[in-house]
Amino acid sequence: MSDHSSSRAIHEFLAEAEEIIENLNRGLVSMGEQVESGEIDPDTVNAIFREAHSIKGLSGMFGFDDISQLSHQMENLLDSLRLGKLSLSRQMLEVLFQGVETLARLVSGKADDDAFQLDLGPVMALIENLLEGEPDPAADLLDGIDLDSSLLNVLTEYEEHRLRENLSRGRRLLLVKANFSLASFDQELAELTDALKKTGELISTLPSPGDADDRIGFQLLVGTDRELSEVSAAIDRDSVKFEEVHRKPPSSGAHPTTANPTVTNAEVEDVATGSELTDPVAGADEQAASLRSFSRTVRVDIEKLDNLMNIVGELVLSKGAIQRIAEEIKDKVSNDLAADLHKATRGLERRLDELQAGVMEVRMVPISQLFDKMTRIVRRVANEHGKSVSLDIRGAETELDKLIVEDLTDPLMHIIRNAIDHGIETPEERKSAGKEERARISLHASQKGNHVVIEVQDDGRGIDPQRVRQKAIEKGLISSEVVLSREEVHDLLFMPGFSTRDEVSDLSGRGVGMDVVKNNIAALSGMIEIDSEPGQGTTMTITLPITLAIIKALIVRASGQTYAVPINSVLETLMLDPAVIETIERREVIELRNSTLPLLRLSEAFDLPLNEHHEEKLFVAVVGLAEKRLGIVVDELLGQQDVVIKSLGRTLSFVKGIAGAADLGSQRTILVLDVGGLMSEALRAEVGAHV
């Protein structure tokens, strides 16, 4: 990682760590207020636990082991608290506050020097002492309720703890039995859950057989201070029945219930009589941690950045209009005033370029935000399918526009799920094939010019071209006589409804959903390619522009219509003699530096009337994404201009080959070409020509 990237990564760590520490502080303050009121909200404890877990993972990812170790111990303490293994005491609360304070000092120190350290021994010892404390004496309260063992035995450790808490507080336990239609159970269950939470605490939700084949049942365990009749009246649903879980008669030695055992009197007294905790870190660092922010980072809603970018876009258009006027005045009136106006517009252009670059920079985020999510997907899906998969991530510091990163999430997730489900063999199959039992998926990102290339590579069984071809013949997509190249066979996988599987599963086979993946990537002006070697694995290559906001465009004209071609897709432009155009398999092509370049006439793509002089002089904009090339044939090349792409909206979203609209100034609106979409359609037409 370069120094710049490293510095950027540290800043991102500081910003996120500071936010987590603030959340931890707020959670502990809230928990402290609850201690005073005598009732601890389990949601508060869970929220603090999650924050401790988050900063542990975050610091571990950036290699700050000291922060990771301390947050790990705090996480253990909070986990014991949420599971009822320990009771919340004021002493524990103080230790947690000290832990957060120490975390803040560590993070603050890393802001100045990433090698900064503190002696964590004292605060770690305090947490360890609490973890070795006595277990909750209310552990056997579950023996005193008349709840079916088949339900009791399937409760999680956390649910058992919440059940004990409700029992110890003398709450009434209700077993709510509900039956819902399979078609709408998710919505009805959510409505019932929300209603029950208003009457008390929902301890557990367990599925059960329904009262008919097309219905599903649920049993919900609720702790409440209300009478059964009150809860029943509040819910008032025919499909829901209520039972009260009675308590067994007390036996000798049973534990009496108390109003609030969460904070014991003895523990309160311990604190009140002077078990004051000294600051274990003060000795190592006499200077108290400053309350000033150490990240110097402001988090901004992406909508606000979009609005700012729109304003910049309008300024860019205004700049273009002013430049045009200044040039006209300079040509017509040769005096000092015209020269001064021209000079001022040049200054405006430089400053506006700086403003545009600055706004663009704050929209850029490292693609690690996306790749980190894929780590969880790989682990979960691999476990679901009994496969062993490691994920190799490289180039995570590569930056992309925030909106592109967000819209890329679903396509990338689908590709990885598909790779694990269909591409990766089981450990037994891999062993018999002479491969390592643990498969590997590589997720690599790199920047190439104005594009970012993302490769998803697996070392699975690869794509069998004969099987894909046979499926395409069975589905009537191609004729049995046609001979396709390997690349053309792979393109079949992107055809709607194509699958290599006979039975559709939840993840399905290679091909299912890939047309949607391709369309989603095309909507980002990107392109996806497949390369696969049977038995060796498959590589999916996604090529995307860095941003879609303000772009430089090549303005072209075809059949009297003006279009914008994103300049980051244009490799070169050519003046074309119509005589050099050849036709191969009904496709127009030219030879360009010893290779064949397929042509696409824009007038034909959009069914426009031909220009009367179209055969006298033609121009070609050679566009390329990834390894593919296409020559777009137009009548005129009008030059380059900055444009701001505006969406056409859902009404016109079906139009192929158009990415949006742009204003050229002087109230002239033109269409912006979707180069990726045009290339896909043109190259797909090559495959379709074989049908």
Side-chain angles (χ1 to χ4, degrees):
M1 187 182 295
S2 67
D3 291 343
H4 175 74
S5 299
S6 176
S7 174
R8 179 71 179 269
I10 292 292
H11 287 150
E12 287 165 4
F13 165 77
L14 293 173
E16 192 158 354
E18 184 174 32
E19 185 174 318
I20 294 174
I21 289 171
E22 288 175 356
N23 291 339
L24 279 169
N25 260 320
R26 278 196 294 270
L28 290 178
V29 169
S30 177
M31 200 157 68
E33 293 170 350
Q34 292 169 9
V35 169
E36 297 295 334
S37 65
E39 184 173 345
I40 304 301
D41 183 356
D43 289 342
T44 303
V45 180
N46 286 331
I48 300 173
F49 170 76
R50 287 194 295 270
E51 295 293 354
H53 181 77
S54 296
I55 197 169
K56 182 185 75 171
L58 179 70
S59 54
M61 187 170 65
F62 282 87
F64 296 131
D65 294 337
D66 46 359
I67 299 176
S68 180
Q69 289 170 8
L70 176 55
S71 50
H72 177 65
Q73 278 296 78
M74 293 177 63
E75 182 187 12
N76 287 340
L77 186 59
L78 289 161
D79 195 33
S80 296
L81 177 63
R82 62 189 286 273
L83 294 177
K85 296 177 180 176
L86 294 173
S87 297
L88 178 63
S89 65
R90 296 180 188 280
Q91 184 182 19
M92 180 187 293
L93 194 59
E94 288 301 323
V95 170
L96 286 170
F97 267 120
Q98 286 191 8
V100 173
E101 176 68 17
T102 308
L103 286 176
R105 292 184 184 184
L106 280 171
V107 175
S108 177
K110 307 291 186 190
D112 299 326
D113 179 4
D114 57 8
F116 176 83
Q117 290 186 334
L118 286 174
D119 179 10
L120 303 181
V123 70
M124 295 281 272
L126 285 174
I127 296 175
E128 189 65 33
N129 287 338
L130 288 173
L131 286 170
E132 293 174 354
E134 294 295 325
D136 188 349
D140 57 354
L141 283 177
L142 301 189
D143 296 337
I145 57 174
D146 189 16
L147 185 64
D148 194 305
S149 60
S150 62
L151 290 177
L152 203 54
N153 291 339
V154 296
L155 295 181
T156 65
E157 191 175 7
Y158 177 71
E159 289 169 341
E160 285 186 1
H161 164 58
R162 295 314 309 165
L163 180 55
R164 291 191 188 98
E165 279 293 299
N166 279 270
L167 289 171
S168 65
R169 293 173 57 187
R171 279 184 149 187
R172 180 171 286 100
L173 287 180
L174 300 180
L175 186 61
V176 183
K177 297 182 177 180
N179 274 280
F180 300 125
S181 165
L182 285 172
S184 60
F185 77 90
D186 50 347
Q187 181 180 352
E188 292 187 81
L189 179 61
E191 291 173 356
L192 176 62
T193 299
D194 291 341
L196 288 173
K197 285 181 177 177
K198 294 177 182 175
T199 67
E201 179 180 347
L202 179 60
I203 299 170
S204 176
T205 301
L206 301 170
S208 64
D211 53 8
D213 290 341
D214 59 345
R215 296 175 70 79
I216 183 171
F218 291 93
Q219 298 188 80
L220 301 96
L221 197 58
V222 179
T224 177
D225 293 322
R226 300 189 186 184
E227 297 288 343
L228 186 149
S229 57
E230 290 182 65
V231 177
S232 176
I235 304 302
D236 192 23
R237 284 170 174 259
D238 294 336
S239 59
V240 180
K241 296 180 180 178
F242 297 84
E243 292 179 10
E244 182 166 354
V245 180
H246 296 288
R247 305 191 184 210
K248 295 176 183 176
S251 59
S252 59
H255 293 281
T257 58
T258 59
N260 176 27
T262 306
V263 182
T264 64
N265 291 335
E267 288 161 344
V268 174
E269 191 174 346
D270 280 347
V271 175
T273 54
S275 60
E276 296 180 2
L277 298 169
T278 57
D279 187 342
V281 187
D285 181 11
E286 294 293 339
Q287 186 179 3
S290 171
L291 295 180
R292 292 182 58 186
S293 173
F294 41 77
S295 70
R296 302 182 65 81
T297 299
V298 177
R299 295 201 165 196
V300 181
D301 190 316
I302 189 66
E303 290 186 3
K304 293 181 179 178
L305 287 180
D306 269 351
N307 185 42
L308 194 57
M309 181 55 78
N310 285 335
I311 295 172
V312 173
E314 298 299 328
L315 288 174
V316 169
L317 296 178
S318 299
K319 177 203 73 176
I322 293 173
Q323 278 182 322
R324 179 177 55 79
I325 295 170
E327 291 293 338
E328 290 179 4
I329 292 176
K330 184 181 176 184
D331 292 340
K332 296 178 180 177
V333 182
S334 179
N335 57 29
D336 292 342
L337 191 59
D340 289 346
L341 178 59
H342 183 71
K343 185 177 179 182
T345 55
R346 299 290 296 176
L348 172 64
E349 183 180 11
R350 284 195 298 272
R351 294 301 180 192
L352 198 51
D353 286 345
E354 293 173 2
L355 176 61
Q356 181 180 333
V359 176
M360 283 303 308
E361 186 176 358
V362 298
R363 291 170 60 97
M364 305 299 281
V365 296
I367 205 167
S368 59
Q369 293 185 5
L370 177 60
F371 284 4
D372 291 342
K373 296 177 183 175
M374 297 305 121
T375 305
R376 297 197 297 271
I377 294 296
V378 168
R379 186 171 59 248
R380 181 165 57 81
V381 178
N383 289 336
E384 288 173 0
H385 291 267
K387 297 178 180 178
S388 178
V389 182
S390 65
L391 182 63
D392 174 30
I393 291 178
R394 296 181 192 174
E397 69 279 4
T398 307
E399 294 187 336
L400 260 178
D401 190 301
K402 172 71 174 174
L403 290 181
I404 294 181
V405 169
E406 292 297 321
D407 290 344
L408 189 59
T409 303
D410 288 344
L412 192 59
M413 184 173 69
H414 187 97
I415 291 171
I416 288 181
R417 285 164 60 98
N418 207 342
I420 297 174
D421 178 39
H422 197 72
I424 301 293
E425 311 93 332
T426 63
E428 295 75 19
E429 290 172 334
R430 292 180 63 84
K431 190 175 180 180
S432 62
K435 296 181 177 180
E436 292 184 6
E437 294 185 24
R438 188 175 180 81
R440 186 188 75 253
I441 292 180
S442 301
L443 202 52
H444 295 175
S446 60
Q447 182 174 348
K448 292 185 178 178
N450 291 322
H451 288 86
V452 166
V453 178
I454 300 171
E455 287 186 350
V456 185
Q457 183 179 48
D458 68 66
D459 64 347
R461 56 173 63 91
I463 296 172
D464 182 350
Q466 292 302 324
R467 189 179 175 203
V468 172
R469 185 176 182 279
Q470 185 59 38
K471 282 290 178 184
I473 294 172
E474 292 173 6
K475 291 177 178 291
L477 299 175
I478 60 174
S479 66
S480 57
E481 294 81 15
V482 71
V483 177
L484 299 179
S485 67
R486 188 171 68 174
E487 187 181 24
E488 290 170 335
V489 170
H490 292 161
D491 283 340
L492 291 171
L493 297 173
F494 293 117
M495 302 190 84
F498 185 87
S499 174
T500 54
R501 273 199 173 172
D502 296 324
E503 296 179 2
V504 177
S505 70
D506 56 340
L507 295 177
S508 201
R510 293 280 191 190
V512 162
M514 290 305 293
D515 59 319
V516 178
V517 168
K518 186 168 188 175
N519 290 338
N520 288 342
I521 292 174
L524 299 172
S525 295
M527 192 170 184
I528 181 170
E529 291 178 298
I530 297 178
D531 187 21
S532 182
E533 192 69 37
Q536 301 299 315
T538 301
T539 300
M540 301 264 184
T541 304
I542 302 170
T543 305
L544 294 160
I546 291 176
T547 182
L548 295 177
I550 298 178
I551 62 168
K552 282 193 178 298
L554 174 66
I555 311 300
V556 301
R557 187 184 293 274
S559 298
Q561 303 296 318
T562 307
Y563 299 92
V565 186
I567 202 75
N568 54 20
S569 301
V570 179
L571 304 177
E572 60 182 313
T573 56
L574 308 169
M575 182 183 291
L576 185 65
D577 180 358
V580 303
I581 298 178
E582 300 177 37
T583 301
I584 301 177
E585 295 183 349
R586 293 180 287 171
R587 297 285 302 171
E588 287 188 326
V589 300
I590 59 171
E591 184 177 340
L592 181 64
R593 289 189 286 276
N594 298 322
S595 65
T596 301
L597 177 71
L599 298 179
L600 173 72
R601 291 182 185 253
L602 214 52
S603 54
E604 292 182 4
F606 297 133
D607 197 20
L608 301 173
L610 290 178
N611 188 329
E612 293 180 358
H613 308 290
H614 71 285
E615 289 299 341
E616 296 179 1
K617 185 172 62 175
L618 295 174
F619 293 90
V620 175
V622 181
V623 296
L625 287 175
E627 301 302 323
K628 296 188 177 179
R629 300 288 182 269
L630 179 70
I632 297 178
V633 183
V634 298
D635 300 330
E636 295 177 77
L637 302 177
L638 303 180
Q640 296 183 22
Q641 184 169 338
D642 288 333
V643 298
V644 182
I645 301 180
K646 302 289 185 183
S647 170
L648 292 177
R650 291 185 177 180
T651 308
L652 298 175
S653 60
F654 64 90
V655 180
K656 300 291 185 183
I658 300 297
D663 186 358
L664 287 183
S666 304
Q667 298 182 335
R668 287 190 299 152
T669 301
I670 62 171
L671 295 174
V672 181
L673 299 185
D674 171 13
V675 173
L678 281 176
M679 292 182 68
S680 298
E681 291 298 316
L683 299 176
R684 177 179 293 178
E686 290 184 342
V687 176
H690 297 301
V691 176

